[in-house]
Amino acid sequence: AERSATPQLVVVETGGLRLDPAVIESFEADRDVVVVVAREDDPARALQDLAAAPEDPAADVIVGLPDTFVQDRPDVTFAEVVVAGTERLPPILGDTSPGAVPITIRDLCVLFDRATVDEGDVDAPRSFADLIGEDWAGRLVIPDPATTLEGRLLLDALRQIAPDEVVPSWLDIAAALQRNGTVVASTWREGFDTQFIAPARPDGPPLVWGGAGMPAAMVAFEPELPPAPTLGVVPTTCIRSTGLAVVPVGAGQPTFAVQFVEHLLTPEVQVTLVDEIGSLPARRDVPLPDAWTRFALRSTGPLRPTPRAADEPPLAAVWTALLDGTLTTDDATGPDPTSEG
């Protein structure tokens, strides 16, 4: 009976983030509260649940919300969370609510198997435009842009390609990837583990859309996999996803919720937020584990997701429309990738 009277803080994990149980235990140790962890794998559903019951949210804290999903739902607002040390955190997308606090970053890029290049088969790709030629036909695997966060971020990176005489719009690149035999996996994990790494290697596609931190994550978390190929990264293709922690307006335990977000930003917890999907801690001053220092690929100056215009269709719908022929590259060019809006 005494235990049931203890306040409960409901923390919902989403966006692939999984908190180490020690993070929960260390928070409970100094407070009269029990943390209940729930999981919603679909960030869009987590936000939809908030929109459906804004005054009585099921969660006190949501962790791992990708910034792109938050930007797409301006109707969902969060309690303002003021934490110390924000100068150590990366900027977040557009006019995202001030209640959204970055806790992880993850850079997604085109990765390639260096052995394929070293054997003299083809030159290393340098841009998305290189991937639509004959040399790389049928040799790239991507997660489905119509259904996955990672695939959507690929389209967002394509969307920022500056048009030129060869590539009039980003739609031309997207359509060319479809025509060039790009392998579309149902999830990024299926594409990376099954198509790119094992058991299809060495006959699988030598290019994959995946996290720059994946070589380190494989060393740290997946020793049962076959030895990873030595990977290279195409830096011009990288785009950064930021995982956010938010406190819903109407949270039942607002004080503990804010304290939990502050807890996630302590150096001791930040260093635990490296994970099997290649994420890194958001704080720039946190030393990385040895595997990340030695094996993580570097993405200098990654792109950032950009807000869509109010009348611009969802990127997933654009990809599907290109596939089924209801949209052609002559129909639209998308926003000016050099604009600030």
Side-chain angles (χ1 to χ4, degrees):
E2 182 179 349
R3 182 69 172 174
S4 63
T6 303
Q8 290 191 340
L9 180 74
V10 180
V11 176
V12 172
E13 301 170 329
T14 191
L17 180 66
R18 301 291 179 263
L19 296 174
D20 189 308
V23 171
I24 306 300
E25 294 168 4
S26 61
F27 182 78
E28 292 176 329
D30 298 327
R31 298 168 181 84
D32 184 28
V33 66
V34 174
V35 177
V36 178
V37 179
R39 183 175 299 170
E40 174 51 73
D41 290 328
D42 183 359
R45 175 65 61 85
L47 288 170
Q48 180 57 42
D49 290 346
L50 283 185
E55 297 179 358
D56 186 25
D60 294 302
V61 186
I62 302 177
V63 295
L65 269 176
D67 51 356
T68 48
F69 281 80
V70 174
Q71 188 271 335
D72 278 350
R73 293 300 303 260
D75 57 315
V76 180
T77 57
F78 312 111
E80 185 169 358
V81 177
V82 179
V83 293
T86 55
E87 70 279 358
R88 305 187 188 100
L89 300 175
I92 55 179
L93 177 62
D95 296 324
T96 300
S97 167
V101 178
I103 55 173
T104 62
I105 58 173
R106 181 184 178 207
D107 290 344
L108 290 149
C109 320
V110 172
L111 310 178
F112 63 92
D113 178 3
R114 286 192 179 276
T116 302
V117 174
D118 293 343
E119 290 167 2
D121 186 8
V122 288
D123 292 331
R126 293 172 297 177
S127 68
F128 282 120
D130 288 344
L131 305 181
I132 62 176
E134 292 183 3
D135 283 347
W136 295 105
R139 309 181 81 180
L140 169 67
V141 59
I142 65 172
D144 191 347
T147 59
T148 67
L149 164 66
E150 292 80 8
R152 171 204 163 126
L153 284 165
L154 167 63
L155 296 187
D156 207 323
L158 293 177
R159 183 171 168 264
Q160 298 181 56
I161 295 174
D164 57 29
E165 293 181 359
V166 178
V167 183
S169 82
W170 76 272
L171 293 176
D172 292 278
I173 289 278
L177 288 176
Q178 293 176 352
R179 295 192 302 267
N180 211 32
T182 297
V183 179
V184 179
S186 58
T187 66
W188 81 268
R189 177 62 80 181
E190 189 268 335
F192 193 91
D193 287 356
T194 305
Q195 299 284 347
F196 182 67
I197 295 297
R201 303 294 303 161
D203 299 322
L207 294 168
V208 68
W209 177 252
M214 280 308 297
M218 292 170 64
V219 170
F221 296 106
E222 302 185 79
E224 73 281 1
L225 286 178
T230 302
L231 301 184
V233 62
V234 185
T236 60
T237 65
C238 295
I239 189 167
R240 175 160 293 177
S241 176
T242 303
L244 306 171
V246 300
V247 176
V249 173
Q253 299 290 341
T255 300
F256 283 128
V258 172
Q259 290 178 5
F260 190 79
V261 175
E262 292 174 336
H263 183 62
L264 294 178
L265 291 175
T266 61
E268 297 78 13
V269 173
Q270 279 279 289
V271 75
T272 72
L273 296 183
V274 295
D275 58 25
E276 66 273 11
I277 67 173
S279 299
L280 297 172
R283 280 185 56 163
R284 301 184 180 99
D285 59 338
V286 174
L288 297 177
D290 181 64
W292 266 258
T293 302
R294 295 176 59 195
F295 299 108
L297 299 169
R298 304 301 175 192
S299 54
T300 56
L303 300 169
R304 298 302 313 277
T306 55
R308 287 185 293 109
D311 59 349
E312 189 180 349
L315 294 177
V318 172
W319 176 261
T320 301
L322 284 171
L323 271 180
D324 63 24
T326 56
L327 176 70
T328 70
T329 57
D330 294 330
D331 292 331
T333 59
D336 179 358
T338 63
S339 70
E340 295 295 327

